[in-house]
Every structure is written in C-alpha cells, then in structure tokens.
Amino acid sequence: MAAVGDARTRRVAVREGAATERDVNAVTRADIIRHGETPAPIDPALVDPALVDATLADPMLPDPKLADPALADPAFRADVLAGLSGRPRAIPARWFYDRRGSELFEDITRLPEYYLTRTERSILSAHAADIASLTGPGRAVVEFGSGSSAKTPLVLSAVAPSAYVPIDISGQFLRDSVAELERQFPNLPIHPIEGDFMHRLALPSAIESKPRLGFFPGSTIGNMNAPAAVDLLRAMWETLGAGSKLLIGIDRIKPASVLIPAYDDAQGVTAEFNLNLLHRINRELGGTIPVSAFRHVARWNDTEARIEMHLEATRDVSFSVDGRSFAISKGKTIHTENSYKYGPRDARLLLRSAGWTPIGEWTDREGLFGLILAEARAVPAAP
Ligand code: TRP
C-alpha cells in the first residue's frame, strides 16, 4: 500500500488506482504475481509513448491522456461525484496518491514536524536485536504495502529472513524497491506480489513451508476506522496463517500540540498534499474547482481519537466536475483523511480483536509511537 507512514505506504489502500501510473503498470515483470482488483490497464498500444515519458519526467505536467474525463479511472470519478454529493462531503484518501501526491507524501515523511517516520525507524534500529530474538530467524517476511519503504532493510538485516514477499498495489513501486533490495540482499529470495492486501491473498508457493513474519509499518492501520482496521488485521491473519507473527507500527495518542503540526506543517507541504487532490480532480475529471478558494485544515477529533484532514472553502464556491454542478458554502469542508491514534492498551486490544496476541512492544523515549510484535494464535475459549 502502496500506503501508508512510510513514504508511499500509505498507502494502504492509498495508492490504489493511481491513474497516472496505470499504463506504466501494464508492463509488469513476469515474476510479479498479480492479485485482486488491479484496475484494467489502458491498452499501451493506444498511448503515445512520448506523452507517457513527458508525464513521467515532469510530475507537474497534467497527463494529456487524462485530460478527457471519459478516459479517467471510473472508480475515481464515482468516489469524487459521490463524495461531493454526500453530507458530510468526503473523498477517500486513496486518491491522494497520484504521482505528484506520492512525491509530496515522501516529502511529508521528511518534515521536522512529522515525527512518525523517523521515530518508527529509530525504534526499529534501537531494538533490532530484541525484535529478532522474539521473531526467530528463517522467517519469510511479508510486507503489506511495501511501496518504496525505507524501513524494509532495517527489518531484513535484523531478523535473518529466509525470503521476502513485498505486497503492493503499484507494480511500479514494487519493481523499483525490489531492484534496490536485490542489490542490498543478493542472497535473499524475493517474491513480489502485485495486489490489494485489504483482502486475503495467496502467498507464493516458494514460501509455503516457511514460518512468516508480517510487516506493516507507518501506522497505516490508523488510516482506517476500527471495524475496517479489524477486518484488515483478520485478512492478514488469514493470509499469513496460524503461527505467524506480525510487526506493526501504530501511532500513539499524544497532545494536540504535537499532533496537529505533524499534519499541518510550517512549510505547507501537507497543505499542498491535501490540495493536490483538487488539482487531480481538475486534471483527470475535467473539474473547474477554484483550488485557491480552499484551505487545508487539520483537526484533532478527541471523541474519535483521530486527526482529520479537511479542505475548507474560504468563500462560497460553485464548480463542475465531469459536467455535474456543485456548490460549497464558505466554511464547509470536504473530509479527506483520518489518522486514528491509539493508547498502548487500545492498540493491543485492536490486535486481539483480530486474533493477534501481542508478544512484544517497543517505543521511543517520549512514547510517541508504538511498534508491536504479535502472534497469530487461535483465540482461546472464555474465560
Ligand atoms: N499513516 C500515516 C499517518 O496517518 C501516513 C499518512 C497517510 C499520512 N495519509 C496521510 C500523513 C496524510 C499525512 C497526511 O500519519
């Protein structure tokens, strides 16, 4: 996922159907296993390669293929039209991650205010030996939404794995990261899967007999509400099987004075990331949204224990998308993202609810972020 805290992890579901990348993904390496509902690629024969190259070279350039809304991703169109028509207005966060959005997300992970990425990395390196002794050597590491994960080498060098299985919705990200990891770990068998890890997946037969360690960093689980998070953790349980382990990063509840700046940085990168969604709608769905009439808002919702990202109209606006008219009055918002935060006990309960028994937990000195190791045990009968 592609997804999630990790650059491009987001991506949980986040990078699904990044339309500017679909045609590129059509040419996939033969050994990438495809699963799930990868959107049907545009016939490469219909695409002028010069246009594709220009788009890849300059992420700011609108993709000329997509200027015609008839060629846009139907799922994107459906989500945007429904999201602008519903109340409250909301558009799923997965649509953030076109090429530009993925780059901006990468920038977010390097911001001084965005403590998640560097904190999780530092926990991983500080406790690598401890984590390794609890997982044991020889496991096949299965990473959910591997993207361009910079944390993967930390885990792979710590746990002495027998194989590595990165799962990502984006074939392009998979190819790039696999090529890099093959250089770093020349003796490690790598079996990439291109697919949507939100559903149970079949693992490669090459790791059939090997014990597994799932890896799900970046607090991507926090981008789902509790029922969806439990569904996903259960799907992971099913994919990995009994006896497997899962190393998962979950961001903690902390004062809003720390949380808000992480999602509303001084340089305005997160604002640009959020507003890019409106640019993308204009580019790909023939929208006429006056982007400058919207501002990025990050709120802490204490009842729900989540950061919310919104796009707020700073004046009354009307516009059209795909030929349909919309009006938003001043002060109203489009809800674009949630990032749920968990206390240590909440996080463990979440895992248990999906059949995962926590067996180890690490944090940083300030307790900003939690890294939990859990085991797939059959749930014992009451009491
Ligand atoms: N899961 C991470 C988080 O909630 C990464 C993330 C997903 C994110 N979507 C985002 C970060 C939007 C900033 C903005 O922080």
Side-chain angles (χ1 to χ4, degrees), residues 105-331:
F105 184 78
E106 199 101 31
D107 296 343
I108 288 174
T109 65
R110 288 190 281 262
L111 289 169
E113 297 95 332
Y114 195 75
Y115 59 86
L116 286 86
T117 309
R118 67 169 175 277
T119 306
E120 187 177 43
R121 281 186 65 100
S122 74
I123 299 168
L124 267 172
S125 26
H127 301 285
D130 205 9
I131 294 167
S133 77
L134 281 174
T135 59
R139 289 190 177 252
V141 172
V142 178
E143 183 168 3
F144 296 95
S146 56
S148 63
S149 175
K151 294 156 196 158
T152 311
L154 287 175
V155 171
L156 295 181
S157 25
V159 305
S162 56
Y164 174 55
V165 181
I167 305 175
D168 202 284
I169 199 85
S170 162
Q172 188 59 48
F173 286 120
L174 268 181
R175 275 188 295 283
D176 293 351
S177 62
V178 167
E180 177 54 33
L181 288 168
E182 273 168 349
R183 268 189 294 279
Q184 278 186 63
F185 301 91
N187 299 319
L188 181 69
I190 302 183
H191 311 282
I193 300 181
E194 182 179 350
D196 178 1
F197 62 75
M198 298 297 286
H199 306 285
R200 182 189 178 153
L201 293 171
L203 292 175
S205 50
I207 68 155
E208 221 159 278
S209 58
K210 296 182 161 81
R212 292 91 192 250
L213 170 65
F215 182 44
F216 193 39
S219 202
T220 301
I221 194 77
N223 301 119
M224 277 153 267
N225 63 20
V230 170
D231 283 351
L232 174 57
L233 291 167
R234 274 190 211 281
M236 289 176 172
W237 202 114
E238 297 294 329
T239 297
L240 296 170
S244 298
K245 287 176 180 162
L246 176 69
L247 186 60
I248 181 171
I250 305 187
D251 196 22
R252 290 193 171 171
I253 297 179
K254 59 183 69 64
S257 59
V258 179
L259 283 171
I260 299 279
Y263 294 86
D264 191 6
D265 61 284
Q267 289 171 64
V269 179
T270 316
E272 201 181 332
F273 173 77
N274 199 4
L275 288 160
N276 178 58
L277 179 64
L278 300 180
H279 286 297
R280 183 178 184 188
I281 293 170
N282 286 347
R283 278 196 297 265
E284 298 183 20
L285 302 176
T288 61
I289 303 173
V291 179
S292 61
F294 286 85
R295 69 179 191 106
H296 165 70
V297 177
R299 294 181 190 155
W300 171 246
N301 180 333
D302 196 64
T303 309
E304 301 281 353
R306 70 187 188 202
I307 287 280
E308 298 176 1
M309 295 201 334
H310 295 258
L311 291 161
E312 183 187 302
T314 56
R315 56 172 170 85
D316 291 353
V317 288
S318 48
F319 54 86
S320 69
V321 174
D322 197 26
R324 281 178 48 187
S325 300
F326 297 95
I328 304 183
S329 32
K330 180 177 173 172

Side-chain angles (χ1 to χ4, degrees), residues 18 20-21 95-102 276 280 283:
T20 52
E21 280 144 20
W95 301 113
F96 279 140
Y97 301 94
D98 64 354
R99 185 164 296 270
R100 179 72 184 138
S102 297
N276 178 58
R280 183 178 184 188
R283 278 196 297 265

